[in-house]
Amino acid sequence: MHARSFLCALLVVAGVDALTQDIARQPLPRIESRPAPSQTQSHDQPAPGARSPRNANYSIDVRLDHAARTLAGRETIQWRNISSQTATELQFHLYWNAWRNADSTWMRERRLAGTRTAPRPDAWSSCDVSVVRVAGVDVTSRKRFIAPDDGNTADQTVMSVPLDTPVGPNGSVQIELEWTAKIPRPFARTGYIDDYYVVVQWFPKLGVLADYGWNTHQFHAATEFYADYGIYDVSMTVPNGWTLGASGREVTKSANTDGTTTHRYRGEDIHDFAWTTSARFLEARQTFEHPELPRVEMRLLYQPEHSAQVQRHFDATAATLKYYGEWFGAYPYGHITIVDPAYQSGSGGMEYPTLFTAGTRWLSPRSVTQPEAVTVHEAGHQFWYVVGNNEFEHAWMDEGLNTYSTARAIAAGAFPNYLSTRFFGGFIPWVFMEVPLSRETEGNRLAGYRAVAESDIQSTPTFRYWPGSAGAITYNKTALWLNTLENHLGWPTLQKALSTYFARWSFRHPQPDDFFTVLNEVSGQDLTWFFNEVHRSSNAFDYGVQEFSSERLERASASGATYRTIVVAQRLGEAFFPVEVVTTFRDGERITERWDGRDRRQVYVYERGAEAVSTEIDPRRTLLLDVDYTNNSRTLEPRAGEASLKWALTWMVWMQDLMLTYGFFA
Ligand SMILES: [Zn+2]
């Protein structure tokens, strides 16, 4: 194995430079001095100290042509088959082809979701592979596009290349690719504006070979990515003097004679690699320290107009490293890069291994969690990225877990968090200091869920959700059901389950049932009934008071009671959950009933000496998924003051719906 890899590495060096000159007109940095990963270590076994299988290792050289808005790249992949399946072909994602024509699956889905505006003529992108060599053999002419999800022949986001020599379980192969790419004006947080670049999902990238075959989905509008873990050794050549940030750590930086600088980064045990560069970035660094967690070097690349908010970015990132670290497990990389995106770049709020984009505004009051909410969310993704789920099929496993964790960390960090709105084109914020935003409802995004609660069965592969409501089922519903489970089991139990899941599935690819197994195991309960409702059905929860009366008896009962109170609790939604029904009497007594919530209704009759004044279903709001909480309670004496308060609250909920609609981020 060693011998063959070494031979191939030599062949690449011989073949690459001539072709690249042809493409970019300027030579890329020479790579002879840089050993391919195969020459320094075996890939048949994970290297000592490896946390992941490291079966997909990328060595990439890429040059940015700022004037032409293009990339020219070449890469060598050392791939090992860790499935039980023999590979007879290779499959690659070419994500930027999603924005090369209006009929790609991504563009079609975006139109279904309601976005009708046509991109600017200079917005389109492309990824054109010019050379493919497998084990040293040029197979370029045999590459073809496939569309495994929908058969869309206009979609070029998945490329297949046959293997003349199949690669059996634990077998390895070296693949070399050369390509050019047109950088988009931002689509899906990817691309350039002026001299600011966010270069993500930018290189030809292998799908994941599973025991049942390749898992290489087309690029979809509402879902993200999936890949195996490995080492990324990436050299990026950009104009001199520009600041660059990337996944991993910078290893070397060298100025070239042609006015460019080559930054070489290395990241280990990651499943993707992203980078950003700009002439305008300012840079700040701080260190996260904690008595029981490893140190993390935090690097912030920020826009000059946001210099007053530098510390807020660090505080939010540090809070994430602290709370997620204490609750789920330690952040394993020792470094993290926070990118404050350029104004109107459309690139804020997105996570990549060890690097993420946040997002703020020029004026951002301290009582509003901007930039904190997006910073905690994207920093938090780093933890659920360590657990490598399939984001095409089970996006809830990272976005949902992370929305829940974000809301919890924002509350634990006691960041001031009030309702706000913006005027004058979004420049001037106005904060409603009377309206604090709560973790349970706003943090878990209840309003967005309520509007589309039954739109999809969560266990459907995410890329097949209705694009217009996929976010609510992925993010909001999961956050609400996890918080409901926390209320039901208690935080210590749920925390132990989440940390067990994190430890067991780090650097692996868990399926939904793996998550449910851990929850059952740690809680000591069979929670299948709950997962059936929240995950394997599209049923909604809604409990309400159907009838409530308390009437004086014509004559006292044998026990001396003078009032008969009747409470009828009703299950209006298809889904069930155990709830409390609490009735309060004029003498101050409260009676709490525990209803399993399964029948359509439950009748309670009380004969007592006092008249009832109110009844309420789930007054502690354990069931956060209840889509209509306003029907959960009834009082017998209408009180003008309370009624107006209720209307005011309804108005606030409406306002919050509006805010949440605008507040949606990845
Ligand atoms: Zn997210």
Side-chain angles (χ1 to χ4, degrees), residues 306-622:
H306 297 154
S307 55
Q309 297 177 46
V310 165
Q311 195 55 43
R312 292 177 68 175
H313 284 86
F314 283 124
D315 289 347
T317 304
T320 314
L321 294 168
K322 168 184 158 64
Y323 290 114
Y324 280 57
E326 290 172 354
W327 296 338
F328 311 134
Y331 178 72
Y333 297 110
H335 56 87
I336 191 165
T337 299
I338 309 149
V339 180
D340 169 32
Y343 180 59
Q344 290 191 323
S345 66
S347 62
M350 189 59 201
E351 73 282 7
Y352 308 95
T354 77
L355 175 146
F356 66 89
T357 60
T360 190
R361 308 294 283 264
W362 172 53
L363 283 178
S364 194
R366 291 220 162 249
S367 45
V368 177
T369 54
Q370 186 182 37
E372 287 82 2
V374 66
T375 304
V376 170
H377 183 86
E378 308 310 334
H381 263 299
Q382 303 299 325
F383 289 79
W384 301 120
Y385 248 19
V386 169
V387 183
N389 74 291
N390 185 330
E391 298 174 7
F392 292 99
E393 297 178 6
H394 316 296
W396 65 271
M397 295 179 78
D398 73 315
E399 293 297 354
L401 264 66
N402 192 39
T403 301
Y404 162 78
S405 320
T406 302
R408 202 170 205 290
I410 289 282
F415 293 103
N417 189 10
Y418 293 89
L419 181 67
S420 71
T421 189
R422 284 181 175 268
F423 299 99
F424 305 110
F427 277 100
I428 306 300
W430 180 262
V431 183
F432 298 85
M433 293 301 289
E434 313 77 30
V435 190
L437 301 182
S438 86
R439 170 198 163 196
E440 287 77 11
T441 51
E442 289 80 17
N444 294 326
R445 313 183 190 183
L446 174 61
Y449 165 67
R450 231 176 21 210
V452 294
E454 299 183 24
S455 61
D456 265 302
I457 299 169
Q458 191 176 65
S459 58
T460 307
T462 317
F463 69 90
R464 285 171 41 201
Y465 289 4
W466 176 248
S469 50
I473 303 302
T474 300
Y475 295 68
N476 316 29
K477 185 178 187 183
T478 314
L480 290 160
W481 73 245
L482 277 166
N483 203 155
T484 297
L485 206 54
E486 176 186 332
N487 296 343
H488 183 66
L489 300 172
W491 168 240
T493 301
L494 188 66
Q495 183 268 324
K496 192 171 171 212
L498 291 172
S499 61
T500 303
Y501 170 69
F502 184 85
R504 189 175 298 172
W505 290 98
S506 282
F507 306 108
R508 300 172 66 193
H509 298 314
Q511 296 289 312
D513 282 346
D514 299 319
F515 183 61
F516 301 142
T517 298
V518 172
L519 284 165
N520 285 340
E521 182 188 305
V522 173
S523 69
Q525 300 180 27
D526 183 355
L527 296 163
T528 306
W529 62 270
F530 183 69
F531 306 134
N532 285 344
E533 295 289 5
V534 298
H535 180 66
R536 300 186 188 104
S537 95
S538 56
N539 293 344
F541 297 83
D542 182 18
Y543 287 92
V545 178
Q546 180 182 329
E547 236 183 274
F548 179 43
S549 63
S550 191
E551 285 169 359
R552 180 178 277 279
L553 297 167
E554 282 183 16
R555 46 174 189 216
S557 70
S559 62
T562 47
Y563 285 91
R564 177 179 293 132
T565 298
I566 298 173
V567 176
V568 182
Q570 189 177 11
R571 176 166 69 81
L572 295 149
E574 293 304 312
F576 72 88
F577 189 83
V579 287
E580 291 181 342
V581 182
V582 179
T583 303
T584 305
F585 296 84
R586 192 168 295 290
D587 59 3
E589 186 139 7
R590 283 159 66 90
I591 297 181
T592 299
E593 308 280 1
R594 288 184 176 77
W595 178 29
D596 66 11
R598 292 195 183 223
D599 287 348
R600 275 297 179 180
R601 60 187 59 72
Q602 182 73 27
V603 181
Y604 300 101
V605 179
Y606 306 103
E607 294 197 344
R608 307 177 58 80
E611 170 186 29
V613 290
S614 65
T615 191
E616 199 170 355
I617 302 173
D618 192 24
R620 292 191 284 179
R621 215 163 177 181
T622 300

Side-chain angles (χ1 to χ4, degrees), residues 216-259:
T216 319
H217 291 287
Q218 295 157 248
F219 199 0
H220 294 273
T223 54
E224 295 178 333
F225 316 105
Y226 184 42
D228 280 333
Y229 290 91
I231 295 172
Y232 282 78
D233 185 341
V234 181
S235 293
M236 294 146 282
T237 299
V238 301
N240 270 343
W242 286 29
T243 302
L244 184 140
S247 298
R249 279 185 207 273
E250 189 167 75
V251 183
T252 58
K253 179 169 134 180
S254 49
N256 306 312
T257 54
D258 61 355

Side-chain angles (χ1 to χ4, degrees), residues 159-203:
M159 177 179 80
S160 166
V161 174
L163 280 168
D164 288 334
T165 308
V167 179
N170 213 36
S172 296
V173 69
Q174 175 169 288
I175 307 138
E176 298 127 59
L177 297 119
E178 296 169 20
W179 83 99
T180 52
K182 163 86 176 61
I183 306 170
R185 282 199 41 108
F187 277 100
R189 303 172 173 87
T190 306
Y192 72 88
I193 183 166
D194 301 327
D195 63 3
Y196 166 86
Y197 288 83
V198 173
V199 185
V200 295
Q201 313 305 337
W202 53 285
F203 57 94

